[in-house]
Amino acid sequence: MIRSTHAVRAAALAGAAALILAACSGGDGDSGDDATDGGSDSAAALKIGTLLPQTGSLAQLGPPEIAGVDLAVKDINEAGGVLGSDVEAVHTDSSDAEHAEVATQSVQDLISQDVSVIVGAASSSVTRNVIDDITGAKIVQISPANTATDLSGTNDFYFRTAPPDTVQGSALANLILGDGAVNPGILVFNDDYGTSLRDVVEKVVTDSGATLAYGSAGQEFDPNETNYTSIVSNALAAGPDAIAIIAFTTQTPLIISELAAQGYDMSKVYFVDGNLTQFGEEFQAGLLEGAQGTLPGAFPSEEFQARLAEVNDSLSDYSYAAESYDATILAALAAVKGGDTDGETIQANLAAVSGADGGEKCDTFADCVKLLDDGKDIDYEAVSGVGPFNADNDPSSAYIGVYTFGADNKYTFTKSEFGEVG
């Protein structure tokens, strides 16, 4: 279910809180009831690893995601740490699916350093390559950006603070249809992320009575493609009245250039989280004016953006920063609730601290810990606006931001779409 709202983020989150209470469901494992009331003197310091893109086709997501983790660690340690010790973050590179060996080596490095939690990966394909190694070591994996639908419920130790593509795909399709398109096309690369999101968009489009002009199964392009002349020609020959580009930033600039060269109306182009970026002077002024894009998560407040600048003052993109922050805070709260910092304790308590069992609302680590110390159940109010973990360890609800490009080829926030994970 998707509905549109132009409310500011604070009002949006307030509305989400009421809906979350109605939609919450329990996550895997109930041993959070055995939580201590303040920790264990014998618990080791909590060490959180990150597996986030510093190189590769999603490298633009790395800085905001890493900043989200670093800010959370800063907040946790300023509030006294976890069970009496400071939290440590260990950052490693995930790269992308085309460089799978990078993530594999990073995971082995993190396992050797005895991390209890790994925040990442950003790419669903990368996660598939390493999830068995991570969860097999009883390390909790929390992705701030995986959206592939088939990752839902894949492992008791795998969680995500980004919603599956059922939410973004529905929001994107309804945005396109709401703008008047009845025969949209999709330029999609043959990647698990791309096809998963495409499938949702196609279903919503066809279920509405519209048709998909181009981009169905069998019409994907190779992620390593460098010449898009015939691909774009084939898509335009189908007469699409809107085009969604579902790809990463490696392919997207070349696709944009080819669409423009073949005379397509660029205000009818739609981007997704994998390629929504501030293109700026990469293209001639005005080329992308009116184009739109979707990005999971509530729009980050100016306050949160300013706080992220405390750990990285060069950020210009905030994609998945809030989801990374929430993943880190939730892991730390789960350790506090369970009274230990090992992966199994954190796994058993993650759903509970997210509010899956109800509890008193709190929106900072310090305030949540006070409630836990008083023996109370908590409902952490995520900065990203996601609801409590459901039985598949997915957020039970989420916001999708809609952004519009201006004459400077940079995007700004337009509105939010709220969706429940069905």
Side-chain angles (χ1 to χ4, degrees):
M1 170 183 169
I2 298 291
R3 70 170 179 270
S4 173
T5 173
H6 293 264
V8 296
R9 176 181 175 278
L13 293 183
L19 288 161
I20 286 165
L21 289 176
C24 63
S25 59
D28 294 333
D30 296 318
S31 56
D33 292 339
D34 297 327
T36 68
D37 61 357
S40 167
D41 292 337
S42 62
L46 176 60
K47 188 178 290 188
I48 296 176
T50 69
L51 183 68
L52 297 169
Q54 300 173 24
T55 61
S57 57
L58 284 178
Q60 83 277 7
L61 296 181
E65 290 174 333
I66 292 168
V69 172
D70 286 342
L71 179 60
V73 169
K74 178 175 181 289
D75 287 349
I76 292 164
N77 291 341
E78 287 180 352
V82 170
L83 304 176
S85 299
D86 279 354
V87 174
E88 178 186 353
V90 182
H91 298 302
T92 67
D93 184 18
S94 66
S95 192
D96 55 30
E98 297 299 316
H99 303 88
E101 71 283 356
V102 175
T104 298
Q105 182 58 56
S106 292
V107 167
Q108 294 308 313
D109 288 346
L110 292 172
I111 291 174
S112 72
Q113 295 190 56
D114 295 323
V115 301
S116 299
V117 178
I118 292 178
V119 177
S123 162
S124 296
S125 296
V126 170
T127 284
R128 288 193 184 89
N129 290 334
V130 297
I131 187 172
D132 289 343
D133 290 339
I134 295 172
T135 60
K138 301 300 182 185
I139 295 171
V140 174
Q141 180 179 1
I142 313 176
S143 173
N146 286 170
T147 58
T149 55
D150 64 352
L151 287 173
S152 296
T154 191
N155 189 287
D156 288 348
F157 278 76
Y158 172 80
F159 296 76
R160 51 183 167 185
T161 49
D165 281 328
T166 49
V167 183
Q168 181 180 198
S170 182
L172 175 62
N174 284 317
L175 174 66
I176 295 170
L177 295 172
D179 288 342
V182 294
N183 191 40
I186 302 175
L187 289 168
V188 55
F189 64 169
N190 193 14
D191 174 273
D192 290 337
Y193 159 78
T195 56
S196 174
L197 185 53
R198 182 274 315 278
D199 290 347
V200 177
V201 173
E202 182 174 14
K203 185 177 188 306
V204 174
V205 167
T206 56
D207 283 354
S208 75
T211 58
L212 189 70
Y214 185 87
S216 295
Q219 294 178 316
E220 304 88 357
F221 61 82
D222 189 323
N224 295 313
E225 182 62 64
T226 57
N227 187 331
Y228 291 90
T229 301
S230 61
I231 294 170
V232 169
S233 294
N234 290 338
L236 296 187
D241 51 9
I243 289 180
I245 303 174
I246 303 179
F248 291 153
T249 53
T250 304
Q251 305 90 11
T252 299
L254 297 173
I255 295 172
I256 292 172
S257 296
E258 190 59 43
L259 282 168
Q262 295 193 31
Y264 193 73
D265 181 355
M266 300 304 291
S267 70
K268 302 295 185 182
V269 171
Y270 296 79
F271 299 90
V272 291
D273 58 315
N275 58 12
L276 184 66
T277 190
Q278 304 289 15
F279 291 104
E281 296 179 358
E282 186 170 353
F283 300 111
Q284 67 184 47
L287 179 65
L288 295 178
E289 187 170 8
Q292 298 176 80
T294 55
L295 178 67
F299 181 67
S301 67
E302 291 184 4
E303 177 189 5
F304 187 66
Q305 292 181 36
R307 297 190 63 235
L308 287 168
E310 296 174 11
V311 295
N312 185 343
D313 61 7
S314 64
L315 284 181
S316 60
D317 188 335
Y318 303 96
S319 300
Y320 296 114
E323 287 81 0
S324 301
Y325 179 91
D326 290 334
T328 309
I329 294 292
L330 283 164
L333 290 172
V336 173
K337 180 173 176 59
D340 213 332
T341 57
D342 62 282
E344 290 173 291
T345 297
I346 292 170
Q347 183 275 337
N349 288 277
L350 262 173
V353 297
S354 76
D357 302 326
E360 291 197 34
K361 297 184 185 301
C362 52
D363 58 10
T364 69
F365 177 78
D367 287 345
C368 291
V369 168
K370 288 178 183 177
L371 292 173
L372 290 173
D373 287 345
D374 290 338
K376 297 179 179 179
D377 291 330
I378 64 169
D379 176 0
Y380 170 67
E381 298 296 282
V383 175
S384 61
V386 295
F389 290 121
N390 63 19
D392 288 328
N393 295 343
D394 288 336
S396 54
S397 61
Y399 283 92
I400 304 297
V402 176
Y403 298 81
T404 304
F405 282 88
D408 58 356
N409 298 323
K410 294 183 178 182
Y411 64 81
T412 56
F413 175 72
T414 305
K415 61 183 178 180
S416 288
E417 304 283 346
F418 176 80
E420 295 176 337
V421 178

